[in-house]
Amino acid sequence: MATGPNGGVISPYLFARYIRELLGSVRNTGIGCFVGDVRMNILAYADDIVVLAPSWHALQMLLNVLHLQSVVIDMSCNVNKTVCMMFKPKRHSCMIRAQFPSFTIGDSCVQYVSDFKYLGHIIMDNLSDDGDIRWEIRCMFNRCNMLRRRFYNCSMSVKLVLFKSFCLCFYNIALWNRFSIGLMNKFRSCYIKCAKMFLGFTKYYSVTNMLLLTGLPSFDTLMINARKSDTARWNVNSNVLVKSLLVV
């Protein structure tokens, strides 16, 4: 979905209220995927909408309902920003077929993709987090290079504040649970390289001494703290879907 609110603080709430009937129509079809004991077929965060279904025919039915209801409220779907992803079963013997016809929204076809960035997280059709880790590595190098160009001659205290603010702002590392060890080691190496480059330490300077002098957390500490913080927020969340995910 591409049509949505921009700029205002309360715009997402107003838009959610505007499409409430549309969401209800899709939800009331009774078609969807079960997460624990909860049947889910549509997720919405402002104008970012995800439709879930267990089969090709079921998803096309939901898209038909979505299209009809969007016409009722005078809203259109931007198919140029709408994509479809098919998640393969863990057991290849359960696959019915490798390819399916294109989905349609109205008279327009929807493109299939193998990966897609949704709400800041890269989702892959094999449920791997490798794509998201690669994205974080690129982002850290880009941020570090930007800081070096502009603030390399600042004092150590200023550099530390900047590094913590711009290079340690990981959005979703606590969600990673399926990844290659080699890629995670590259991310660990990226963290150390960026810290040394921006803070002025030589390539072969002791990592332990650098962390002690600067007070920066180690890479493993970053990961552990992120997971603990995320788990604590999940445990106090009252959302039915979140609680079902915890059980799963």
Side-chain angles (χ1 to χ4, degrees):
M1 289 291 214
T3 303
N6 289 294
V9 176
I10 65 171
S11 294
Y13 300 98
L14 296 176
F15 187 75
R17 179 62 186 88
Y18 180 70
I19 64 171
R20 181 178 296 180
E21 284 73 22
L22 180 149
L23 299 177
S25 298
V26 176
R27 186 176 61 249
N28 293 335
T29 59
I31 302 170
C33 300
F34 277 89
V35 179
D37 295 328
V38 181
R39 185 182 63 235
M40 302 298 302
N41 58 12
I42 189 165
L43 303 173
Y45 183 83
D47 61 338
D48 291 310
I49 297 177
V50 175
V51 181
L52 306 171
S55 66
W56 185 94
H57 183 66
L59 184 56
Q60 185 59 66
M61 291 176 64
L62 294 180
L63 291 177
N64 292 340
V65 174
L66 184 72
H67 173 68
L68 291 175
Q69 291 301 314
S70 64
V71 172
V72 171
I73 62 176
D74 194 24
M75 187 179 75
S76 61
C77 301
N78 188 340
V79 293
N80 295 324
K81 294 184 178 180
T82 303
V83 297
C84 175
M85 185 177 295
M86 180 178 63
F87 297 97
K88 302 177 180 66
K90 293 181 179 179
R91 295 174 56 187
H92 292 286
S93 60
C94 296
M95 289 186 62
I96 300 175
R97 57 189 300 181
Q99 295 181 333
F100 291 87
S102 297
F103 290 100
T104 58
I105 299 179
D107 297 326
S108 303
C109 295
V110 180
Q111 177 187 3
Y112 281 98
V113 295
S114 59
D115 59 85
F116 184 72
K117 190 174 184 181
Y118 178 69
L119 300 181
H121 186 85
I122 296 179
I123 302 172
M124 304 182 70
D125 60 0
N126 61 358
L127 299 179
S128 170
D129 295 307
D130 286 354
D132 206 54
I133 297 175
R134 293 190 187 95
W135 171 260
E136 288 291 353
I137 292 174
R138 290 195 298 269
C139 287
M140 174 166 272
F141 276 126
N142 289 338
R143 295 188 193 113
C144 181
N145 288 330
M146 180 272 292
L147 292 177
R148 287 187 69 198
R149 289 194 303 269
R150 299 183 181 182
F151 305 104
Y152 187 76
N153 294 322
C154 292
S155 64
M156 177 63 76
S157 59
V158 172
K159 284 184 176 181
L160 283 172
V161 173
L162 290 171
F163 187 80
K164 291 178 181 178
S165 300
F166 288 92
C167 294
L168 301 187
C169 51
F170 304 120
Y171 177 65
N172 49 17
I173 61 176
L175 299 177
W176 297 342
N177 61 6
R178 294 185 64 179
F179 49 82
S180 62
I181 300 301
L183 195 57
M184 183 59 74
N185 287 335
K186 286 184 179 180
F187 189 30
R188 177 184 284 103
S189 176
C190 168
Y191 172 61
I192 299 302
K193 286 180 180 178
C194 288
K196 285 184 175 181
M197 283 193 300
F198 180 58
L199 300 177
F201 293 94
T202 61
K203 180 179 180 180
Y204 297 105
Y205 191 83
S206 169
V207 175
T208 302
N209 287 342
M210 181 191 69
L211 297 178
L212 288 174
L213 288 173
T214 60
L216 289 174
S218 67
F219 180 80
D220 292 333
T221 300
L222 280 174
M223 296 297 298
I224 292 171
N225 288 343
R227 291 193 180 105
K228 285 186 175 180
S229 176
D230 190 63
T231 301
R233 289 195 296 267
W234 278 51
N235 287 332
V236 299
N237 197 299
S238 59
N239 185 276
V240 176
L241 177 59
V242 173
K243 290 187 175 296
S244 298
L245 289 171
L246 285 174
V247 174
V248 174

